[in-house]
Amino acid sequence: HVQLVESGGGTVEPGDSLKLTCKASGFTFRSHYMYWLRQAPGKQLEGIAGVTTFGRPTDVADSVKGRFIISRDNDENTVYLQMNRLQPEDTGVYYCANVPPTSLAVGLGARGQGTQVTVSS
């Protein structure tokens, strides 16, 4: 069965960096675009960034452009999110998914259980 396991979250101060990792299994990873999403407290789930099968970033949210970098390793079935210059508004639970947010919203695809990122001074 499909499994997506996120790790790397934590509590950091504004301006710090974190790197999130999502390990995938149970599907043909290299054939899927992959996505990172986040849910901030009291807000809806939002797409942060996607990555094509060849590793090109796509659908990067304006709020993270120039700060977050999505990448993947098809040999390791892993997708990463390097988060730099973190700000308090980046706080939330971060999820990876094997379909875009719009498909998740109608019950397609899979996402992991998430990893908490808290940015606070």
Side-chain angles (χ1 to χ4, degrees):
H1 67 285
V2 175
Q3 270 199 310
L4 297 165
V5 181
E6 303 93 339
S7 62
T11 299
V12 297
E13 295 186 349
D16 285 351
S17 298
L18 277 176
K19 187 172 185 176
L20 305 184
T21 297
C22 172
K23 181 71 174 178
S25 61
F27 65 101
T28 309
F29 178 80
R30 62 179 65 245
S31 299
H32 281 70
Y33 282 33
M34 295 295 295
Y35 299 85
W36 283 99
L37 304 89
R38 75 180 172 198
Q39 188 155 28
K43 295 189 177 180
Q44 289 187 329
L45 191 65
E46 63 169 333
I48 295 298
V51 63
T52 70
T53 55
F54 293 105
R56 182 175 300 170
T58 185
D59 299 327
V60 180
D62 288 342
S63 60
V64 305
K65 274 181 184 173
R67 299 189 298 124
F68 290 13
I69 302 168
I70 188 170
S71 61
R72 67 189 295 158
D73 184 335
N74 285 340
D75 291 332
E76 296 294 329
N77 286 6
T78 301
V79 59
Y80 304 98
L81 187 67
Q82 175 67 47
M83 305 187 295
N84 301 317
R85 304 198 310 274
L86 282 159
Q87 302 167 4
E89 51 266 39
D90 296 317
T91 294
V93 181
Y94 284 71
Y95 302 90
C96 70
N98 63 357
V99 293
T102 49
S103 296
L104 275 180
V106 295
L108 299 175
R111 74 173 192 190
Q113 297 211 342
T115 186
Q116 175 72 44
V117 172
T118 302
V119 185
S120 174
S121 54

